């Protein structure tokens, strides 16, 4: 039996429309409408979003919008913003938007206004961040802190790493920031290489404070600190926690005074604007951090209020569905033309793929359509000299998001002109390509012509902003967060749980004692048994 998405009238209309448009080229679309490049653009919130180089017409957008509206989009969006428990598998509200709601607003969860709680934590974070930044916070032996190490994984790592790297230009250079996530001991060992414990502060970031990797790294950090500082009482000066689990934080030995809380209505991968952003705030300072929050909030408001045809995250999501479900595209590339955004694609991988990697609907039925795309990317222009070849002349359709800024934070003419010329040129080449006649006109020998033809017709969006400020980073993050939400509505899946990461965790817990104690007999499949035995032979 078909699920209710693919047997809707909207879906069937899209299938029919796809048959009409599948072979229409972007070039033809531009020839038919001389103003296309100005018309299929949204300019809002300081973002110039050009979606003209897509294999769509006005009719495509109309049909995709109808599909969305028929999924009860308005009510579902309202339900998220107002704190309804839309994460039904975990029975939780989804309120990362409350984390950047201005002081004085009201958002109720179980009858309680959570906005004052959010601001109380932000104020506590600011006080602490300032003390670290101005040297007022002293370590156990009275020295000022020089290095901050965030220990966390997944949502408690990728956001902080990405934001620190993205906003490094604004960061305090007298402090060194490091991040430990992997349970591989080399990660910790390299992070503390050359450091003095009496000048190091660990932020243990874990929503649950039970995650194996983070707890193992936190315990190792504790031993390292104690070995070098020699005294249990030193822990209070060198360890703080970001968590929702005060009991476990206390049990670990961190003073709850030095704990920064958040709430179960913040999903891990949506938590970089919760206290999980403590390392970011220390790095860039409370003022810049609040600017980032303001950018997130501006995009929240844009998403909440802009009409569908002018709504950036909505259009992004609709385009994603169009390529994913009708053209059969498997991946979505994201290429920031800014070195500082080099961890942005990795951050987006978790945001999109952990959210959209679902094969059952909210009601538990197996879907009969494709859900989440594979997100990937690297900063330009390095990618151009590597994998772009496959996008230009390979056999796969890969929609691309280009992200660029008019101004560089580092004024070194002519670098920015070169960088942005490359970004714009890539979108042009992908869309319009180069025909055999154009290649011949360049005097290319006939046997080489087919090698030099660019078929074109490869879609891309371009996001242009003035510069990579904290506020603009906030807007970009919220833009992708809401794109994920919209796709979740269309596919009728829950973008806010992550059951898929659980099984491996449980199985690892079974295997740990088998590796350590040499238990026999093993009861796994023959491959797993053999791998365990091979490891034990060392
Ligand atoms: C994110 C996931 C996951 C989570 C990590 C860390 O949405 O839930 O990536 O963030 O497993 O969890 P803790 O913060 O609880 O350690």
């Amino acid at each position: 039996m078909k699920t209710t998405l693919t047997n809707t009238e909207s879906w069937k209309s899209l299938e029919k429309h796809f048959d009409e448009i599948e072979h229409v080229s972007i070039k033809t679309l531009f020839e038919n409408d001389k103003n296309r490049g100005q018309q299929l653009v949204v300019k809002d919130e300081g973002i110039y979003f050009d979606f003209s180089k897509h294999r769509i017409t006005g009719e495509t957008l109309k049909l995709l919008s109808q599909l969305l509206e028929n999924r009860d989009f308005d009510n579902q969006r309202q339900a998220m913003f107002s704190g309804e428990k839309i994460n039904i598998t975990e029975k939780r509200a989804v309120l990362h938007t409350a984390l950047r709601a201005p002081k004085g607003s009201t958002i109720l969860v179980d009858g309680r206004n959570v906005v004052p709680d959010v601001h109380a934590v932000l104020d506590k974070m600011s006080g602490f961040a300032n003390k670290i930044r101005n040297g007022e916070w002293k370590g156990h032996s009275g020295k000022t802190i020089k290095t901050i190490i965030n220990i966390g994984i997944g949502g408690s790592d990728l956001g902080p790493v990405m934001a620190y790297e993205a906003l490094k230009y604004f960061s305090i250079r007298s402090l060194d920031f490091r991040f430990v996530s992997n349970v591989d001991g080399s990660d910790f060992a390299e992070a503390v290489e050359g450091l003095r414990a009496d000048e190091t502060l660990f932020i243990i970031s874990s929503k649950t404070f039970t995650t194996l990797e983070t707890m193992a790294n936190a315990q190792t950090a504790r031993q390292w600190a104690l070995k070098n500082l020699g005294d249990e009482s030193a822990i209070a000066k060198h360890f703080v926690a970001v968590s929702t689990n005060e009991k476990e934080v206390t049990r670990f030995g961190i003073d709850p005074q030095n704990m920064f809380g958040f709430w179960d209505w913040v999903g891990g991968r949506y938590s970089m604007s919760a206290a999980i952003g403590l390392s970011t705030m220390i790095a860039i300072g409370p003022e810049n951090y609040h600017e980032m929050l303001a950018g997130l909030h501006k995009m929240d408001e844009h998403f909440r209020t802009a009409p569908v045809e002018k709504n950036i995250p909505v259009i992004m999501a609709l385009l994603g569905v169009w390529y994913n479900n009708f053209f059969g595209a498997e991946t979505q590339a994201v290429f920031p033309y800014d070195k500082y955004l080099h961890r942005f694609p990795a951050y987006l991988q978790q945001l999109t793929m952990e959210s959209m990697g679902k094969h059952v609907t909210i009601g538990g039925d197996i879907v009969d359509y494709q859900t989440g795309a594979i997100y990937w990317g690297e900063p330009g222009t390095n990618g151009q000299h590597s994998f772009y070849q496959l996008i230009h002349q390979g056999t796969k359709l890969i929609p691309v998001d280009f992200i660029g800024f008019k101004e560089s934070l580092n004024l070194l003419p002519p670098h920015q002109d070169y960088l942005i010329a490359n970004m714009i040129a890539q979108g042009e080449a992908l869309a319009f390509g180069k025909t055999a006649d154009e290649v011949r006109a360049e005097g290319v020998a006939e046997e080489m012509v087919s090698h030099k033809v660019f078929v074109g017709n490869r879609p891309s969006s371009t996001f242009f902003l003035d510069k990579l400020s904290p506020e603009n980073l906030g807007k970009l993050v919220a833009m992708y967060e809401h794109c994920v939400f919209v796709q979740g509505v269309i596919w009728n899946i829950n973008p806010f749980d992550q059951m898929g990461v659980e099984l491996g965790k449980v199985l690892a817990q079974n295997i740990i004692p088998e590796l350590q104690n040499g238990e026999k007999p093993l009861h796994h499949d023959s491959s797993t048994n053999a791998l365990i035995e091979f490891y034990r032979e060392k």
Side-chain angles (χ1 to χ4, degrees):
M1 198 194 76
K2 281 207 157 193
T3 57
T4 50
L5 176 61
T6 51
N7 60 13
T8 58
E9 283 310 310
S10 315
W11 191 269
K12 287 180 196 156
S13 305
L14 277 161
E15 282 176 333
K16 199 157 151 269
H17 176 66
F18 174 72
D19 292 339
E20 291 155 16
I21 218 164
E22 188 186 358
H23 300 293
V24 178
S25 70
I26 296 175
K27 196 178 213 167
T28 304
L29 294 170
F30 270 82
E31 281 163 3
N32 291 347
D33 176 2
K34 296 289 170 224
N35 296 321
R36 185 179 169 92
Q38 285 91 46
Q39 269 164 4
L40 294 188
V41 167
V42 175
K43 288 184 221 166
D44 203 357
E45 294 302 345
I47 301 178
Y48 182 104
F49 169 40
D50 175 0
F51 57 103
S52 61
K53 294 193 187 87
H54 280 287
R55 296 169 71 170
I56 55 168
T57 61
E59 180 69 6
T60 321
L61 289 169
K62 195 181 97 198
L63 293 172
L64 286 165
S65 306
Q66 275 168 5
L67 174 75
L68 180 63
E69 271 153 28
N70 292 342
R71 308 300 280 173
D72 200 25
F73 168 61
D74 288 338
N75 286 332
Q76 293 208 46
R77 177 176 51 183
Q78 175 60 19
M80 176 177 75
F81 275 97
S82 60
E84 282 181 38
K85 297 199 171 156
I86 61 166
N87 175 359
I88 60 157
T89 49
E90 297 180 324
K91 299 187 179 53
R92 287 175 182 166
V94 173
L95 270 180
H96 40 282
T97 51
L99 300 169
R100 47 261 192 164
K103 250 185 192 153
S105 37
T106 302
I107 300 170
L108 299 176
V109 178
D110 295 328
R112 180 187 172 88
N113 182 12
V114 297
V115 179
D117 300 342
V118 166
H119 283 273
V121 174
L122 280 169
D123 291 346
K124 185 174 171 184
M125 288 165 65
S126 299
F128 180 71
N130 281 333
K131 276 190 195 157
I132 298 288
R133 287 166 63 85
N134 64 25
E136 207 183 304
W137 180 281
K138 302 287 181 211
H140 185 56
S141 64
K143 287 197 173 343
T144 52
I145 298 298
K146 289 204 177 135
T147 304
I148 317 290
I149 302 185
N150 185 76
I151 296 183
I153 196 165
S156 301
D157 169 71
L158 286 157
V161 175
M162 181 280 288
Y164 170 66
E165 293 293 335
L167 300 176
K168 199 178 221 165
Y169 179 83
F170 301 90
S171 71
I172 184 165
R173 301 297 175 138
S174 56
L175 289 171
D176 186 15
F177 290 83
R178 303 183 185 192
F179 298 86
V180 175
S181 55
N182 203 313
V183 77
D184 179 346
S186 301
D187 203 5
F188 181 83
E190 287 295 340
V192 294
E193 177 59 32
L195 294 187
R196 296 178 54 121
D198 56 357
E199 295 171 344
T200 302
L201 176 85
F202 291 97
I203 303 176
I204 314 298
S205 294
S206 176
K207 180 174 166 182
T208 55
F209 230 74
T210 55
T211 305
L212 173 88
E213 292 88 340
T214 301
M215 290 305 108
N217 280 319
Q219 288 299 350
T220 304
R222 202 172 186 283
Q223 283 154 21
W224 179 81
L226 284 178
K227 193 170 115 218
N228 293 292
L229 299 169
D231 189 341
E232 234 356 273
S233 64
I235 299 299
K237 290 287 172 198
H238 294 272
F239 284 78
V240 299
V242 178
S243 186
T244 58
N245 190 346
E246 185 173 326
K247 200 168 134 229
E248 283 302 315
V249 167
T250 314
R251 216 157 70 96
F252 181 86
I254 294 176
D255 183 349
Q257 295 291 332
N258 297 334
M259 166 176 155
F260 301 84
F262 59 116
W263 306 272
D264 72 353
W265 41 263
V266 183
R269 57 195 170 276
Y270 297 88
S271 68
M272 63 166 271
S273 47
I276 291 291
L278 182 62
S279 58
T280 315
M281 193 196 263
I282 299 172
I284 64 173
E287 205 174 309
N288 281 320
Y289 191 83
H290 277 275
E291 271 187 30
M292 184 183 82
L293 295 180
L296 284 150
H297 179 66
K298 281 185 183 169
M299 183 51 69
D300 293 342
E301 284 302 285
H302 166 87
F303 173 60
R304 196 173 66 78
T305 59
V308 160
E309 68 280 6
K310 296 264 172 225
N311 196 310
I312 300 172
V314 169
I315 297 169
M316 291 165 73
L318 297 180
L319 291 168
V321 169
W322 182 231
Y323 292 116
N324 191 54
N325 296 96
F326 296 91
F327 281 90
E330 295 271 317
T331 83
Q332 168 70 53
V334 180
F335 301 144
Y337 275 66
D338 192 299
K339 172 75 182 166
Y340 287 121
L341 284 180
H342 71 114
R343 295 298 289 164
F344 195 58
Y347 168 76
L348 288 183
Q349 282 184 325
Q350 185 194 21
L351 176 65
T352 58
M353 290 160 73
E354 203 166 60
S355 299
M356 297 306 190
K358 311 289 158 67
H359 75 293
V360 292
T361 64
I362 287 182
D365 297 322
I366 294 176
V367 298
D368 63 352
Y369 44 87
Q370 288 288 308
T371 58
I374 300 159
Y375 272 70
W376 63 285
E378 279 287 323
T381 57
N382 297 8
Q384 289 174 214
H385 294 264
S386 142
F387 50 77
Y388 274 39
Q389 168 64 32
L390 187 143
I391 308 174
H392 281 292
Q393 286 190 308
T395 54
K396 295 183 167 53
L397 179 71
I398 302 177
V400 174
D401 284 354
F402 292 110
I403 302 172
F405 301 91
K406 283 204 227 177
E407 287 171 44
S408 169
L409 295 171
N410 297 291
L411 297 175
L412 289 174
H415 284 264
Q416 192 67 3
D417 297 346
Y418 289 4
L419 180 67
I420 296 304
N422 270 284
M423 179 184 82
I424 296 173
Q426 289 301 318
E428 187 180 24
L430 287 169
F432 303 107
K434 199 195 258 185
T435 63
D437 286 345
E438 286 167 336
V439 175
R440 281 190 196 100
E442 288 172 357
V444 170
E446 195 54 35
E447 69 273 16
M448 285 302 294
V449 169
S450 62
H451 295 279
K452 298 215 165 196
V453 165
F454 284 66
V455 178
N457 212 19
R458 288 151 202 244
S460 66
S461 296
T462 303
F463 300 89
F464 232 148
L465 297 90
D466 59 354
K467 63 174 185 233
L468 180 52
S469 60
E471 179 176 309
N472 280 338
L473 179 71
K475 287 178 199 162
L476 289 171
V477 167
M479 184 176 93
Y480 280 97
E481 284 177 349
H482 297 314
C483 172
V484 163
F485 174 80
V486 176
Q487 293 190 334
V489 168
I490 294 178
W491 292 325
N492 191 24
I493 57 177
N494 181 1
F496 304 111
D497 66 9
Q498 56 284 316
M499 309 290 173
V501 298
E502 297 303 324
L503 178 62
K505 283 191 193 174
V506 173
L507 296 185
Q509 289 292 2
N510 295 340
I511 293 175
I512 289 169
E514 292 170 346
L515 296 183
Q516 291 178 331
N517 309 336
E519 276 170 30
K520 276 195 174 175
L522 294 167
H523 298 293
H524 305 271
D525 59 274
S526 58
S527 161
T528 308
N529 286 345
L531 289 167
I532 293 169
E533 272 158 14
F534 182 72
Y535 181 83
R536 296 201 299 209
E537 278 164 20
K538 62 183 180 175

